[in-house]
Amino acid sequence: MVEKIILVVSFGTSYNNNRSLTIGAIEEDIRESFPDYEVRRAFTSQMVINILKKRDDLHINNVKEALERAVNDGVKTVIIQPTHVMDGTEYHFKIKDEVENFKDKFENLIIANPLLIEDEDFEDLVANITNNDCDDKTAVVFMGHGSPAESNIVYPKLQSLLNEKGFDNYYIGTVEAKPDYDDVLAMIKEKDYKKVFLRPLMVVAGDHAQNDMAGDEEDSWKSMFASEGYDVDCLVEGLAQTKEIRNIYIKHVQNAIDDLGL
């Protein structure tokens, strides 16, 4: 009988290779760090779940299914670790609301923090994403997803922290919220940059990173910056491909265990 599990909940991705390098790497690090727990997987995107089932015959539980399985298995302690960047709409509607229906089904049930919540998380992220050797003629642009939720404030907060630390050639934009491409372009045009270096501010380098950021279509960020006369390079790499980023999740799992007094 399995008594304790860590349920790693991700948005999900249909890009198999990058899923292994990011979500899979987070899960494996958690498994190594907490050997007394069984690590399980769930996705919040039903669209991704359906694609993987139809295309690859790969079944991945959504949060409800994963929690129902835990109940049926007689699990007593469930620690849910979201891999989402922030507590946005996916976190609230696909995780928090779903977990509410199971709060009386386990002896211990807790949701750990996503990537960016505490000030320390922002400090850790900035320390990691600024370790490159770009010169002052290069604008380093990170594309985030963006959210209609109040938690979208993580992006301007991250921008402010970068500026406070003197990383004035670093810019944060989002593909589905504010600041958007036009906002970032306006800031870049205020300085004499020759080159733009694009990176995803996303845990997984999935569809947004592959297409909206680095794609060859005329409406990708790569193409639009190039049309403005900039030399554009892209690094199509999810944040979770970096050990130091994955360590933030490890800390969040440990904090949840400590909060439960286990």
Side-chain angles (χ1 to χ4, degrees), residues 94-150:
K94 300 289 187 69
I95 302 176
K96 192 174 180 180
D97 287 355
E98 200 65 70
V99 167
E100 190 68 18
N101 298 320
F102 288 84
K103 62 182 180 180
D104 299 325
K105 303 293 185 181
F106 305 99
E107 290 183 10
N108 299 294
L109 176 61
I110 190 171
I111 305 175
N113 284 338
L115 185 66
L116 295 176
I117 293 290
E118 305 294 340
D119 290 344
E120 180 183 359
D121 302 332
F122 287 84
E123 293 280 352
D124 288 343
L125 180 61
V126 166
N128 180 263
I129 66 175
T130 54
N131 59 355
N132 64 62
D133 299 321
C134 291
D135 58 37
D136 59 6
K137 293 296 183 181
T138 300
V140 182
V141 177
F142 281 86
M143 173 198 270
H145 186 278
S147 172
E150 291 182 6

Side-chain angles (χ1 to χ4, degrees), residues 65-221:
E65 292 168 339
L67 291 174
E68 287 175 342
R69 178 190 169 197
V71 171
N72 292 334
D73 288 347
V75 173
K76 296 180 180 179
T77 295
V78 179
I79 296 169
I80 296 175
Q81 178 57 66
T83 69
H84 301 69
V85 171
M86 58 189 179
D87 56 342
T89 53
E90 289 284 317
Y91 174 89
H92 284 285
F93 298 132
K94 300 289 187 69
I95 302 176
K96 192 174 180 180
D97 287 355
E98 200 65 70
V99 167
E100 190 68 18
N101 298 320
F102 288 84
K103 62 182 180 180
D104 299 325
K105 303 293 185 181
F106 305 99
E107 290 183 10
N108 299 294
L109 176 61
I110 190 171
I111 305 175
N113 284 338
L115 185 66
L116 295 176
I117 293 290
E118 305 294 340
D119 290 344
E120 180 183 359
D121 302 332
F122 287 84
E123 293 280 352
D124 288 343
L125 180 61
V126 166
N128 180 263
I129 66 175
T130 54
N131 59 355
N132 64 62
D133 299 321
C134 291
D135 58 37
D136 59 6
K137 293 296 183 181
T138 300
V140 182
V141 177
F142 281 86
M143 173 198 270
H145 186 278
S147 172
E150 291 182 6
S151 55
N152 196 72
I153 193 67
V154 300
Y155 299 108
K157 180 176 179 177
L158 190 58
Q159 182 71 69
S160 295
L161 184 59
L162 287 164
N163 294 342
E164 287 172 13
K165 291 182 175 295
F167 298 107
D168 295 328
N169 64 320
Y170 280 71
Y171 299 90
I172 306 295
T174 69
V175 68
E176 292 192 0
K178 297 289 261 182
D180 57 16
Y181 167 81
D182 290 333
D183 296 323
V184 175
L185 178 62
M187 290 187 287
I188 287 177
K189 283 189 170 182
E190 293 177 358
K191 297 186 179 181
D192 188 27
Y193 295 117
K194 304 299 182 184
K195 184 175 180 178
V196 172
F197 180 45
L198 287 171
R199 291 186 62 184
L201 190 70
M202 303 175 187
V203 175
V204 176
D207 188 64
H208 285 306
Q210 304 276 350
N211 297 309
D212 295 316
M213 187 191 81
D216 294 325
E217 298 296 323
E218 63 181 15
D219 60 348
S220 74
W221 284 28

